[in-house]
Amino acid sequence: MLKVYNTLSGKKEIFKPIEEGKVGMYVCGNTVYDFCHIGHARAMISFDIISRFIRHLGYELNYVRNITDVDDKIIKRAQENNETTQTLTERMIAAQQEDELRLGNKMPNREPKATEFMQEIIDMVQVLIEKGFAYQGTSGDVYYRTTVFSEYGKLNNRKLEDMLAGARIDVEIAKEHPADFVLWKQTKEGEVFWPSPWGNGRPGWHIECSAMATNCLGSHFDIHGGGPDLKFPHHENEIAQSEAATGKQYVNYWMHCGAVRVNNEKMSKSLGNFFTVRDVLAKFNPEVVRYLMVSSQYRSAIDYSDQSLLEAKVALERLYTALRQQNIASSYAPTNYTERFEEAMKDDFNTALAVSVLFELVRELNKAKTEDQVKASELAAELLFLAELLGLLYQEPDYFLQNSTVSEGFDEVRIQELIDERTQARKDKNFARSDEIRDELVSNGIELLDSREGTSWTRS
């Protein structure tokens, strides 16, 4: 049975969907004012793998991930760029989708935008006011009344008073309590706005997700996921809003992926260790980045560095080398490797253990190449099937091995020209020139592999 670590209970639980055979999953997406960074990649890849395996188990999954396309940061960046918020967000959404496809992700079933749900947001705020869970402050903004929701803090297992200690809470005279948070903001001059019963304005961040999730998946659904920084206040506030508005339990299982640290420090622009996905993909094949994320269980923190990516590259090359010039069976009978892989994934999506099973499979595959080609081809097919559940090994082996890093030296055309020249030099018994070419390629990170079929190459 599938076991899932539930942040709400603080322990692993046997997964039981609300409706048999069907799963509803909502994941908090990005605020689209800038390019995706590697922390975003961590969350996107984690929940892509979770969605793949849930479907593999036979569930009909409705995977919804929102896009926040109206926010203070968006408005500020659009003003700095002298462009409209819509122009900015459309450009960043397109960039995000491009990054995700390069990283090997499959798209969610639905990606609702906050600006598409303004009426639903306004309706939920109105319900909260009518029930006494919200009020309009003296500033005109509408706030959630945290002191009225008796279970506030249950996701983080903390009392309201404890959460205030050391937390960054906006202190406003318009609020009844320091922990009250905004549901609807009055517009400022030059900002985008929507009309509402409380004046022209726009929604607060937290209410957007409550409205989108309940409208896309219902007032009670199975899984809600996101990054580690969202547990408080965002997800805590989502629970308070949604359960106060509907009178029902909001979500059964809360899932949060681990953080990405850079050389053991928190990633921050001020520290100069902030990397966008595009920064990283300028140096490494996208699958290397994906492997780094997959090689740790989704709840574990990942330490990002060039060294960790180089180690991921080497590990992935071992898998691809096993498939190089290897026939793939059109069908196969699953072995113990499939059973062990699935057991690892059923234990809260333990991709680290699942990956170790792939390497054991590769060892047997390499042995079978010299003993039983039929068995080798079947093991290769099994390897590809299991790897696909992690979004790995989707490239041609030769292509990956030649492009696992982005070389600033020789391109593929120049490499092939030199290989052809070396081949001719060897035919002419000009071994001095042949050795010169090999040395030149090696000094530029190109390793040659000579065989009866000819010469192939990889980037070392």
Side-chain angles (χ1 to χ4, degrees):
M1 293 181 288
L2 176 63
K3 293 182 180 178
V4 173
Y5 183 87
N6 189 351
T7 307
L8 186 63
S9 65
K11 62 184 180 181
K12 289 182 187 178
E13 300 176 7
I14 295 174
F15 179 72
K16 295 179 180 179
I18 296 168
E19 183 178 352
E20 186 175 356
K22 295 184 178 182
V23 177
M25 180 171 77
Y26 182 92
V27 175
C28 284
N30 297 335
T31 300
V32 286
Y33 71 98
D34 206 344
F35 293 114
C36 296
H37 56 66
I38 55 174
H40 295 140
R42 170 64 157 158
M44 294 188 294
I45 290 172
S46 294
F47 287 100
D48 175 64
I49 291 170
I50 289 168
S51 69
R52 286 173 188 247
F53 193 70
I54 287 174
R55 290 191 173 106
H56 171 69
L57 293 178
Y59 291 107
E60 180 184 333
L61 173 68
N62 186 6
Y63 174 17
V64 179
R65 188 186 63 200
N66 78 294
I67 293 173
T68 296
D69 61 342
V70 57
D71 175 87
D72 291 343
K73 292 178 180 178
I74 292 172
I75 293 171
K76 181 181 178 182
R77 181 61 56 84
Q79 291 173 342
E80 290 171 351
N81 294 350
N82 196 27
E83 62 182 331
T84 65
T85 56
Q86 183 176 356
T87 301
L88 171 64
T89 57
E90 287 180 353
R91 182 159 51 83
M92 290 298 103
I93 290 169
Q96 173 183 304
Q97 292 172 343
E98 180 184 337
D99 288 345
E100 278 212 82
L101 291 173
R102 292 183 68 191
L103 289 169
N105 280 356
K106 296 181 179 180
M107 292 297 104
N109 295 80
R110 188 173 178 185
E111 285 190 289
K113 301 174 186 176
T115 55
E116 298 171 342
F117 283 78
M118 281 301 156
Q119 189 57 53
E120 289 82 358
I121 291 169
I122 290 170
D123 290 345
M124 181 171 275
V125 174
Q126 186 64 50
V127 168
L128 290 171
I129 290 175
E130 292 171 357
K131 288 188 171 186
F133 287 96
Y135 61 94
Q136 187 169 19
T138 56
S139 64
D141 295 344
V142 179
Y143 295 95
Y144 185 89
R145 190 176 273 125
T146 54
T147 54
V148 176
F149 186 68
S150 61
E151 293 186 290
Y152 191 79
K154 65 179 178 179
L155 180 65
N156 291 270
N157 195 29
R158 296 169 68 189
K159 295 181 180 179
L160 179 60
E161 294 75 17
D162 296 334
M163 286 187 287
L164 287 177
R168 291 182 61 186
I169 302 292
D170 292 332
V171 178
E172 297 179 17
I173 297 175
K175 293 182 182 183
E176 294 178 355
H177 189 277
D180 292 352
F181 56 90
V182 71
L183 300 174
W184 188 263
K185 296 183 177 184
Q186 294 295 307
T187 188
K188 297 176 183 177
E189 186 177 352
E191 294 182 345
V192 62
F193 67 86
W194 287 262
S196 80
W198 319 285
N200 293 336
R202 66 179 189 279
W205 176 34
H206 313 300
I207 194 67
E208 294 176 2
C209 280
S210 287
M212 285 186 280
T214 54
N215 276 274
C216 292
L217 295 173
S219 57
H220 181 206
F221 56 92
D222 298 293
I223 299 172
H224 194 313
D229 55 328
L230 299 181
K231 286 188 286 186
F232 182 81
H234 185 52
H235 288 163
E236 195 72 65
N237 291 350
E238 268 194 73
I239 291 173
Q241 295 164 158
S242 304
E243 296 189 359
T246 67
K248 300 178 182 179
Q249 181 178 349
Y250 183 37
V251 173
N252 283 358
Y253 303 90
W254 285 87
M255 301 177 68
H256 295 90
C257 63
V260 175
R261 299 179 67 81
V262 180
N263 294 317
N264 290 314
E265 290 186 311
K266 183 177 180 180
M267 185 172 64
S268 168
K269 287 184 177 179
S270 61
L271 294 175
N273 64 356
F274 181 89
F275 299 98
T276 69
V277 171
R278 297 183 170 211
D279 292 333
V280 181
L281 299 191
K283 298 171 64 177
F284 289 90
N285 185 295
E287 196 171 348
V288 172
V289 179
R290 186 179 185 91
Y291 181 89
L292 175 63
M293 304 296 179
V294 170
S295 60
S296 297
Q297 199 260 5
Y298 78 95
R299 287 191 290 115
S300 302
I302 287 180
D303 187 45
Y304 168 89
S305 66
D306 278 358
Q307 181 60 36
S308 63
L309 283 170
L310 287 170
E311 291 170 1
K313 178 184 84 76
V314 171
L316 200 49
E317 284 173 344
R318 284 179 57 197
L319 299 179
Y320 268 113
T321 299
L323 293 171
R324 196 173 204 175
Q325 299 178 345
Q326 172 61 51
N327 291 329
I328 310 296
S330 58
S331 62
Y332 68 95
T335 69
N336 177 256
Y337 294 113
T338 294
E339 181 181 348
R340 290 168 55 208
F341 180 97
E342 290 181 338
E343 285 304 310
M345 291 296 287
K346 287 177 182 177
D347 185 12
D348 194 31
F349 309 96
N350 191 340
T351 54
L353 185 55
V355 166
S356 72
V357 174
L358 297 187
F359 281 101
E360 290 184 39
L361 194 163
V362 162
R363 281 195 290 272
E364 186 169 349
L365 167 58
N366 288 332
K367 182 180 178 182
K369 287 180 179 180
T370 60
E371 300 175 354
D372 187 340
Q373 270 299 316
V374 173
K375 180 180 179 181
S377 66
E378 291 177 349
L379 288 171
E382 187 171 16
L383 173 63
L384 283 174
F385 176 79
L386 297 177
E388 197 278 334
L389 294 175
L390 303 177
L392 297 175
L393 303 186
Y394 57 86
Q395 302 179 63
E396 287 295 324
D398 278 341
Y399 179 84
F400 175 82
L401 291 167
Q402 295 169 4
N403 295 277
S404 54
T405 55
V406 179
S407 173
E408 296 179 0
F410 292 179
D411 61 19
E412 293 179 36
V413 174
R414 180 56 180 156
I415 293 168
Q416 193 58 53
E417 288 175 350
L418 288 171
I419 289 175
D420 292 343
E421 183 183 347
R422 176 175 176 269
T423 300
Q424 186 61 49
R426 296 175 73 186
K427 288 179 180 178
D428 296 340
K429 300 188 184 306
N430 187 353
F431 299 115
R433 178 55 182 156
S434 171
D435 291 343
E436 286 177 3
I437 293 172
R438 175 183 282 278
D439 292 344
E440 183 180 1
L441 288 168
V442 168
S443 67
N444 281 275
I446 309 301
E447 179 181 350
L448 300 183
L449 305 171
D450 293 321
S451 67
R452 293 179 181 179
E453 290 76 24
T455 300
S456 56
W457 60 274
T458 62
R459 296 192 191 274
S460 61

